[in-house]
Amino acid sequence: MSDSFSFRLTGTHGAARAGEIATAHGIVRTPAFMPVGTQASVKGVHPDEVRASGAGILLGNTYHLMLRPTAERIAALGGLHAFMRWPYPILTDSGGYQVMSLAPLRKITEAGVTFRSHIDGANVELTPERAINVQILLGSDIAMQLDECVRLPAERTEVERAMKLSLRWAERCKRAFEAAAPGRALFGIVQGGDDLKLRKESARALVDIDFLGYAIGGLAVGETQTVMLEVVAETAAALPAARPRYLMGVGTPADLLEAITRGVDMFDCVLPTRNGRHGLAFTRFGPINVKNARHADDARPLDEESRCPAARDFSRAYLHHLFRSGEALGGTLLSLVNLYYYQDLMAGARAAITAGNYSDYAALTKGQWSVRRDIDGDEE
Amino acid sequence: MSDSFSFRLTGTHGAARAGEIATAHGIVRTPAFMPVGTQASVKGVHPDEVRASGAGILLGNTYHLMLRPTAERIAALGGLHAFMRWPYPILTDSGGYQVMSLAPLRKITEAGVTFRSHIDGANVELTPERAINVQILLGSDIAMQLDECVRLPAERTEVERAMKLSLRWAERCKRAFEAAAPGRALFGIVQGGDDLKLRKESARALVDIDFLGYAIGGLAVGETQTVMLEVVAETAAALPAARPRYLMGVGTPADLLEAITRGVDMFDCVLPTRNGRHGLAFTRFGPINVKNARHADDARPLDEESRCPAARDFSRAYLHHLFRSGEALGGTLLSLVNLYYYQDLMAGARAAITAGNYSDYAALTKGQWSVRRDIDGDEE
């Protein structure tokens, strides 16, 4: 294992990029999808199974972990890798997004954000310095700056205010991060809503501060996919080629394919596990809702050619039964199916970019969804 | 695989017996503990993991499966083994116990029992013939007669009435079972509450009918452990040595050790998985409730010497966190810990009986619970 964080491109096709991120806990091949381990657990799935699905890196949530079991406790227990038994790379977010979406009575000032814990009602302060301190305690390989994410649509003045506050917080985060162990990386987060001019201004300013990677934040928060992809394309183009680009909280398989086309290297999203728990499987043939009555007598597996054992070994009728009966095994099996699907989608993208045929890969993948949807798939 | 059901004793120590049940789906070593797969799933645990825990045979619930997804649907999908992907032996109960405990508006007559489905309110009739028909459709290796189980304490006349009705149903079940595929077995169920005379009368009458195995039913329904064990001892002694004896719905690790001493070969119980979901782990050192605050900072595993990976690989602090955070992984991991514990308890019993030192084994096992309870364990 190397002690230094690095990123190198291994291939490009148009704006799409394949690469490798080296961390103290191993290599992450990009484009990479990061399963979300909100509370130090990818919901319902054993960490060995998450690894078997092909995941090279997980995301942990600073907001949840600082409240419970607390970052100090995790640090005393050897850090997040040891705590959740995931000895591979981990990225932690800064907690900013969850404060905005989950915490009651939040108040944002120049200093930071104060909020009530959704767990015990305690008053908590999250400053840029504290967000970095928590992430250093957790021991993540990649930390994120604290930012303010604005829900769209929003007034331009409001978007600009939050973007500029995020830039000032970015500088404070970078200073605070100097205390981190060598080999860890801090990423800046581009804000600016759906305003391309603000996005470019944010990207330029972050590049001036100089981070080891850059995230595109504040998307998938209410805008259309068309708007999101335009912002992604313009923002990615404004970021240095030599640094990884991470589109936060996105998204559907189609979102991922399109964002890769526009130069994104990293993603995280709860969709594979959340949809899995609700009975929706992502497959080569498009999404399949196993709760639909039409699957009750269907002896076929979800996909006999899948790399995922759960997609090959159990009948749709059995999966249907598990969901109808409220058996937890159903959610676990479909979460696995979806985690494998997302990882295989990324592996295919990496191979296609390297081979110089990514646009064909994306088109064929999407074409297969729509062709078979009428036969095997379900509308969401 | 053999097509014929058989049982042979491989060792005895006092009344304790070690043996092997041969079925069309493989060998079951006794004393055997059967995890409960109520709705065609051992709650929260993948069937491969259930197998890895050492389970040789599962129990499936006729009552639940006949209502959902229905026995006819499971039969059309290839039977319960294929449906739930458990290619090893399966025992199904008759549904009688669940009708008594779960179904609203149940009515018992000579013909059978009618009840309202707890799922959709439909009126359902369960006769001895239908109970056998359902179990034949499910394709279980061992089927149980329909019986009436009386909750204790109860009037002797009521216990006697139910015992005698169960005997008449036993005869009807045996006739109905002649339609079953060769190699399957039907067990009779001794009833009679806590009345030793009624128990012996029931046992004698069932032996006259002649079953391939005999269960002791109607226990762990409100009586003390002392009463239960006295009934077990007297009933087991009244049953033929050459047939397996199955104590239904029992119990705690201590119950199992004591019942084995008294000649019982088979057990089923939801305790390992139900307690696991509620945060209680069975270990060599006694039960440990991982939800207790004292485990929040404890980096030690539940048992570093356990054969169960979940007991070795995760800290008590992490398991505590999973339960405090409502993460489903906690219930799955502790269910596994408990399933392994029960299987290892049985494996130890089999080895000790064969070696002729079962009473030492039982005493040492129980001694270790109490010695270490003050240090590592928790009161339940």
Side-chain angles (χ1 to χ4, degrees):
Chain A
M1 290 197 292
S2 159
D3 260 0
S4 59
F5 178 94
S6 67
F7 175 65
R8 69 183 187 97
L9 288 174
T10 55
T12 59
H13 181 221
R17 301 134 53 92
E20 281 184 2
I21 298 171
T23 78
H25 290 92
I27 299 282
V28 179
R29 273 177 260 281
T30 63
F33 178 79
M34 301 184 280
V36 178
T38 306
Q39 299 188 113
S41 169
V42 176
K43 285 193 187 303
V45 183
H46 192 290
D48 290 350
E49 299 276 2
V50 177
R51 184 63 176 179
S53 77
I57 177 169
L58 282 195
L59 180 139
N61 281 119
T62 284
Y63 170 82
H64 288 91
L65 296 172
M66 72 184 282
L67 297 180
R68 186 174 56 198
T70 76
E72 286 71 15
R73 180 166 274 152
I74 289 178
L77 289 161
L80 186 55
H81 296 83
F83 184 63
M84 68 185 294
R85 214 176 143 278
W86 176 263
Y88 313 107
I90 294 177
L91 179 148
T92 45
D93 66 9
S94 69
Y97 181 84
Q98 274 77 28
V99 170
M100 315 303 169
S101 56
L102 293 180
L105 296 180
R106 63 186 173 278
K107 191 180 161 207
I108 298 172
T109 66
E110 185 66 29
V113 53
T114 53
F115 60 93
R116 283 254 178 104
S117 161
H118 74 282
I119 294 168
D120 61 4
N123 282 309
V124 183
E125 187 178 24
L126 187 63
T127 62
E129 291 75 17
R130 174 63 178 155
I132 296 302
N133 171 243
V134 167
Q135 294 179 82
I136 289 174
L137 287 167
L138 295 174
S140 56
D141 300 281
I142 303 176
M144 303 301 300
Q145 72 151 102
L146 187 67
D147 61 338
E148 184 188 351
C149 171
V150 174
R151 210 159 267 289
L152 298 178
E155 292 293 325
R156 187 182 190 281
T157 52
E158 169 69 1
V159 173
E160 182 171 11
R161 183 201 55 72
M163 181 273 278
K164 292 199 164 159
L165 177 65
S166 296
L167 284 179
R168 294 190 297 276
W169 286 359
E171 293 191 50
R172 288 167 56 188
C173 284
K174 189 167 183 208
R175 279 197 299 276
F177 196 72
E178 286 165 10
R184 299 188 191 173
L186 176 67
F187 283 17
I189 305 178
V190 180
Q191 288 289 354
D194 52 5
D195 188 303
L196 298 182
K197 191 165 158 295
L198 291 179
R199 285 280 173 181
K200 282 181 197 164
E201 184 182 339
S202 172
R204 263 195 306 270
L206 288 169
V207 172
D208 284 346
I209 300 173
D210 187 22
F211 289 94
L212 288 178
Y214 298 91
I216 306 173
L219 289 178
V221 290
E223 78 288 1
T224 65
Q225 193 201 37
T226 307
V227 167
M228 178 181 82
L229 292 174
E230 191 184 3
V231 172
V232 165
E234 295 287 328
T235 307
L239 292 169
R243 299 284 158 86
R245 303 163 186 161
Y246 160 31
L247 178 55
M248 302 183 81
V250 174
T252 65
D255 290 339
L256 268 56
L257 290 177
E258 294 295 339
I260 290 169
T261 299
R262 289 157 179 81
V264 172
D265 306 305
M266 302 167 70
F267 304 90
D268 79 282
C269 195
V270 296
L271 266 191
T273 42
R274 179 176 293 167
N275 278 357
R277 289 197 305 282
H278 294 154
L280 194 85
F282 292 107
T283 76
R284 287 185 298 141
F285 319 124
I288 297 177
N289 186 339
V290 303
K291 289 194 289 190
N292 281 358
R294 50 195 288 250
H295 302 299
D297 296 296
D298 194 337
R300 293 175 305 164
L302 283 171
D303 181 357
E304 69 279 359
E305 292 176 25
S306 172
R307 193 173 54 83
C308 175
R312 294 192 313 262
D313 293 346
F314 295 94
S315 68
R316 299 179 189 199
Y318 182 64
L319 297 171
H320 173 85
H321 166 70
L322 291 178
F323 277 93
R324 286 295 177 105
S325 305
E327 286 289 341
L329 183 63
T332 295
L333 292 176
L334 254 57
S335 293
L336 276 169
V337 167
N338 293 344
L339 289 173
Y340 273 79
Y341 182 78
Y342 268 66
Q343 294 302 335
D344 287 352
L345 191 71
M346 295 296 99
R350 292 192 294 267
I353 293 166
T354 306
N357 59 10
Y358 178 73
S359 48
D360 290 350
Y361 169 75
L364 281 170
T365 300
K366 287 192 277 188
Q368 206 174 13
W369 296 339
S370 48
V371 168
R372 296 287 297 266
R373 176 169 290 201
D374 296 334
I375 306 168
D376 292 290
D378 298 295
E379 299 299 327
E380 280 190 60
Chain B
M1 288 197 297
S2 160
D3 261 0
S4 59
F5 177 95
S6 66
F7 175 66
R8 68 183 186 95
L9 287 175
T10 56
T12 58
H13 180 218
R17 301 137 50 94
E20 281 184 2
I21 298 171
T23 78
H25 290 91
I27 299 283
V28 179
R29 273 177 261 281
T30 63
F33 178 79
M34 301 184 281
V36 177
T38 306
Q39 300 187 110
S41 169
V42 176
K43 285 193 188 302
V45 183
H46 192 292
D48 290 350
E49 299 278 1
V50 176
R51 185 62 177 180
S53 77
I57 178 169
L58 282 193
L59 179 139
N61 280 119
T62 284
Y63 171 81
H64 288 93
L65 296 173
M66 72 183 283
L67 297 179
R68 185 173 58 197
T70 75
E72 286 71 17
R73 179 166 275 151
I74 289 178
L77 289 161
L80 185 56
H81 295 82
F83 184 63
M84 68 184 294
R85 214 176 142 278
W86 177 264
Y88 313 107
I90 294 176
L91 178 148
T92 45
D93 66 10
S94 69
Y97 181 82
Q98 274 76 28
V99 170
M100 313 306 169
S101 56
L102 294 179
L105 295 179
R106 63 187 175 277
K107 191 182 163 207
I108 297 172
T109 67
E110 185 66 29
V113 53
T114 54
F115 59 95
R116 284 255 179 104
S117 161
H118 75 282
I119 295 167
D120 63 4
N123 282 308
V124 183
E125 188 178 22
L126 187 64
T127 62
E129 291 75 18
R130 174 61 179 157
I132 296 302
N133 171 243
V134 166
Q135 294 180 83
I136 289 174
L137 286 167
L138 295 174
S140 56
D141 299 281
I142 302 176
M144 302 302 299
Q145 72 151 99
L146 187 67
D147 61 338
E148 184 189 352
C149 172
V150 174
R151 209 159 269 288
L152 298 177
E155 293 291 325
R156 188 181 190 281
T157 52
E158 171 67 1
V159 173
E160 181 171 14
R161 182 201 57 71
M163 181 272 278
K164 293 200 163 160
L165 178 65
S166 297
L167 284 178
R168 293 191 296 276
W169 286 359
E171 293 191 49
R172 287 167 57 188
C173 284
K174 187 165 187 209
R175 278 197 299 277
F177 196 73
E178 286 166 9
R184 300 189 192 171
L186 176 66
F187 283 17
I189 304 178
V190 179
Q191 289 289 355
D194 51 7
D195 188 302
L196 298 181
K197 190 164 161 292
L198 291 179
R199 285 279 173 182
K200 283 181 196 163
E201 183 181 341
S202 173
R204 264 195 305 271
L206 288 169
V207 171
D208 284 345
I209 300 173
D210 188 20
F211 289 95
L212 289 177
Y214 298 92
I216 306 172
L219 289 178
V221 291
E223 79 286 1
T224 64
Q225 194 203 37
T226 307
V227 168
M228 178 181 82
L229 292 175
E230 189 184 5
V231 172
V232 166
E234 295 287 327
T235 307
L239 292 168
R243 299 285 158 85
R245 303 165 186 159
Y246 161 31
L247 178 55
M248 303 183 82
V250 174
T252 64
D255 289 338
L256 269 56
L257 290 177
E258 294 296 338
I260 290 169
T261 299
R262 290 158 178 79
V264 172
D265 306 304
M266 303 168 69
F267 304 91
D268 79 281
C269 195
V270 297
L271 265 192
T273 44
R274 179 176 291 165
N275 278 359
R277 289 198 305 284
H278 293 154
L280 194 86
F282 291 107
T283 76
R284 287 185 297 141
F285 319 123
I288 296 177
N289 185 340
V290 304
K291 290 193 287 191
N292 282 359
R294 51 194 286 248
H295 302 299
D297 296 296
D298 193 337
R300 293 176 303 164
L302 284 171
D303 181 358
E304 69 279 0
E305 292 177 26
S306 172
R307 195 174 54 84
C308 175
R312 292 191 314 261
D313 294 346
F314 296 94
S315 67
R316 298 178 190 198
Y318 182 65
L319 297 170
H320 174 84
H321 166 70
L322 292 178
F323 277 92
R324 287 292 176 108
S325 305
E327 287 288 342
L329 183 61
T332 295
L333 292 177
L334 254 57
S335 293
L336 277 169
V337 168
N338 293 344
L339 289 172
Y340 273 79
Y341 182 78
Y342 268 67
Q343 293 303 333
D344 288 352
L345 191 71
M346 294 297 100
R350 292 191 295 265
I353 293 166
T354 306
N357 58 9
Y358 178 74
S359 48
D360 290 348
Y361 168 76
L364 282 170
T365 300
K366 286 191 277 189
Q368 206 173 12
W369 297 338
S370 48
V371 169
R372 296 288 297 265
R373 175 169 289 200
D374 294 336
I375 307 167
D376 292 287
D378 297 296
E379 299 299 326
E380 279 191 64

